[in-house]
Amino acid sequence: MSILNSSEFEISIFYLVGIPGMESANVWIAIPICLMYLIAILGNCTILFFIKTEPSLHEPMYYFLSMLALSDLGLSLSSLPTMLKIFLFNAPEISPDACIAQEFFIHGFSAMESSVLLIMSFDRFIAICNPLRYTSILTSTRVAQIGLTFFLKNILLILPFPLTLKYLRYCKHNLLSHSFCLHQDVMKLACSDNKVNVIYGLFVALTGMLDLIFIFVSYVLILRAVLSIASQKERLKVLNTCVSHICAVLIFYMPILSLAVIYRFAKYSSPVTKILMADVFLLVPPLMNPIVYCVKSQQIRNLILGKMCQKES
């Protein structure tokens, strides 16, 4: 493939990459990737189906779980087209407009997932620290208002990304670093001034870190409330209600933090390491969250097992 380096021409196509050095094995790599996407999409659709159809799951905790499932579903579907094109059809080309649209959806659903994890931590805080007022505080109307507020917040937060990238000129390299488009990756290809993109990208990253800080603070308050419970058995029972959410937080934030550390302190590390960590960030949370919640939530697990037993009989 030819990569344009001349400033005399404006680039009309970008090239994505799979895993460098393993191009000959793209079809074999596509098998586990397709399997992960399939499980992620089916798992999140299953959670959404049961929460919608089962009255026993019409509670604030499960409404927030449905928001998480929608975010995971959106994240999977945003990266799916280019990943399949590269690994199944060896077609790494993507137009700038399609690339900018993809990065908007990827960053938008990532921001939404971060917000939902924050909301779910507040849900656990209220359920544990103020259980008697839980249903009066988190009414169905209020849950819908919270979800809509955070959805609009994230749309407005991410919307400047495609708008600013659209008006940059791309006349240098046209080779991206991943199998999908990310804001920081696309803006590096610009030959016009992108200082605004750098500053605003840092602001968005700090907003995501604020979500993590608030989640941490909520769990400090939860832990303080749990330690005040006299019975050790009751403490474990209460903490067990937070395990699924803690797992979801770790699954989402660990790849992001690991990638940030690699870029900051291991600048000369293998590009493959960075590519794999970015792939983990997009593939693993949508895959693992339905599994974690189906395993840890007795209500969802019993409903799924009940449906399976009905089919077998």
Side-chain angles (χ1 to χ4, degrees):
M1 76 181 61
S2 62
I3 300 172
L4 303 179
N5 291 308
S6 173
S7 59
E8 297 177 4
F9 302 97
E10 189 160 357
I11 290 169
S12 60
I13 194 165
F14 293 150
Y15 289 96
L16 300 162
V17 299
I19 300 177
M22 299 185 69
E23 289 82 1
S24 59
N26 273 357
V27 175
W28 295 106
I29 296 171
I31 295 172
I33 288 177
C34 289
L35 189 61
M36 291 172 76
Y37 274 119
L38 183 63
I39 295 171
I41 292 169
L42 287 177
N44 286 293
C45 286
T46 299
I47 286 178
L48 289 170
F49 171 77
F50 280 114
I51 291 175
K52 179 176 173 53
T53 58
E54 293 295 331
S56 62
L57 299 182
H58 293 174
E59 299 175 6
M61 181 178 72
Y62 294 107
Y63 290 144
F64 293 136
L65 178 56
S66 67
M67 294 179 195
L68 185 66
L70 282 171
S71 302
D72 283 334
L73 203 55
L75 200 55
S76 291
L77 295 176
S78 298
S79 59
L80 178 65
T82 53
M83 292 282 276
L84 292 188
K85 273 182 65 181
I86 290 170
F87 291 106
L88 274 181
F89 306 108
N90 195 28
E93 304 89 355
I94 185 170
S95 69
D97 287 344
C99 190
I100 290 171
Q102 186 186 47
E103 66 88 24
F104 169 73
F105 285 112
I106 287 176
H107 288 289
F109 283 114
S110 297
M112 191 62 206
E113 180 142 353
S114 178
S115 295
V116 173
L117 290 172
L118 173 61
I119 296 168
M120 293 174 85
S121 72
F122 289 155
D123 169 77
R124 291 298 84 209
F125 169 73
I126 296 170
I128 292 169
C129 299
N130 205 346
L132 297 178
R133 295 188 59 206
Y134 178 75
T135 52
S136 62
I137 294 173
L138 292 177
T139 61
S140 298
T141 303
R142 193 160 291 165
V143 167
Q145 290 172 343
I146 291 170
L148 182 60
T149 300
F150 275 90
F151 174 76
L152 293 175
K153 185 269 284 186
N154 288 310
I155 290 291
L156 295 175
L157 182 69
I158 302 300
L159 191 58
F161 277 175
L163 296 179
T164 52
L165 288 176
K166 178 70 177 173
Y167 291 100
L168 292 176
R169 290 181 63 247
Y170 302 96
C171 50
K172 294 182 180 178
H173 299 288
N174 60 352
L175 183 65
L176 295 163
S177 305
H178 302 286
S179 307
F180 38 81
C181 297
L182 297 176
H183 176 260
Q184 59 270 30
D185 204 17
V186 176
M187 73 178 185
K188 288 178 183 177
L189 302 182
C191 53
S192 51
D193 182 37
N194 63 2
K195 198 173 293 183
V196 172
N197 281 278
V198 174
I199 295 170
Y200 192 73
L202 181 62
F203 169 74
V204 173
L206 290 174
T207 303
M209 289 302 101
L210 274 177
D211 288 347
L212 183 58
I213 290 169
F214 284 130
I215 291 171
F216 177 77
V217 170
S218 69
Y219 271 101
V220 169
L221 297 174
I222 287 170
L223 192 59
R224 189 175 69 175
V226 169
L227 291 175
S228 66
I229 300 173
S231 168
Q232 185 175 1
K233 185 178 179 180
E234 285 298 315
R235 289 181 193 172
L236 294 174
K237 185 178 177 181
V238 171
L239 286 174
N240 191 50
T241 64
C242 301
V243 171
S244 299
H245 180 255
I246 292 171
C247 289
V249 170
L250 293 175
I251 289 167
F252 180 75
Y253 281 104
M254 285 302 291
I256 296 176
L257 296 175
S258 300
L259 197 59
V261 168
I262 289 171
Y263 271 100
R264 179 66 181 86
F265 298 106
K267 294 180 180 179
Y268 302 104
S269 63
S270 168
V272 176
T273 305
K274 298 173 183 177
I275 290 169
L276 290 177
M277 286 306 302
D279 289 347
V280 166
F281 161 63
L282 282 188
L283 290 171
V284 172
L287 170 73
M288 291 303 299
N289 285 340
I291 296 173
V292 167
Y293 275 95
C294 287
V295 169
K296 291 300 297 178
S297 173
Q298 187 176 357
Q299 283 178 277
I300 294 178
R301 187 172 68 249
N302 289 343
L303 286 168
I304 293 173
L305 292 174
K307 289 288 184 182
M308 290 173 66
C309 291
Q310 283 179 8
K311 287 183 179 180
E312 287 177 3
S313 62

